[in-house]
Amino acid sequence: MAAVTSNPSLELAEGQEAALEVFSKFIPEQTYDGTPLVGRDISKAFGGIRALREVPLIEVPPHSFVGLIGPNGAGKSTLFNVLNGFTTPDTGEIVLFGQDVTKKQPWDRAKLGMSRTFQANHI
């Protein structure tokens, strides 16, 4: 946290520094080795609709952004939901920081450092 709070150009409102200190206790240590997220041979069907067909390999290297683009209905959201645990794949494997998390719940993946945001708030 020292890097955040010692930045003179970053002014923190009252309570933000304390909140950042609490938050920093819950986030995993950063890694620079290996591949943090790997998905292999992922398939998912909803009834007769095959949303994903053995997606061969997804790799997210450390400290990088990876985009997933394609037309409507291509399976982008389904793949993202499988990777983060909101949907269980029919086949395939998801490895997060060297651990097989294929059958783990989203909150278990969050404990390992995976998180997500949603496109829109649904209240």
Side-chain angles (χ1 to χ4, degrees), residues 35-37 58-69 80 115 117:
T35 304
L37 178 62
I58 301 293
E59 287 188 353
V60 179
H63 300 274
S64 63
F65 291 96
V66 175
L68 184 60
I69 60 172
F80 194 70
S115 65
T117 60

Side-chain angles (χ1 to χ4, degrees), residues 5-78:
T5 57
S6 65
N7 184 342
S9 66
L10 179 63
E11 293 184 30
L12 298 176
E14 186 176 332
Q16 285 181 324
E17 187 170 341
L20 286 171
E21 287 176 20
V22 170
F23 176 71
S24 69
K25 293 177 184 178
F26 292 96
I27 58 174
E29 188 175 320
Q30 291 187 18
T31 182
Y32 294 90
D33 299 325
T35 304
L37 178 62
V38 178
R40 294 183 190 98
D41 302 319
I42 299 171
S43 295
K44 181 65 184 174
F46 299 98
I49 307 293
R50 292 185 64 187
L52 302 173
R53 295 181 186 193
E54 299 173 1
V55 176
L57 183 64
I58 301 293
E59 287 188 353
V60 179
H63 300 274
S64 63
F65 291 96
V66 175
L68 184 60
I69 60 172
N72 290 346
K76 301 177 300 295
S77 295
T78 300

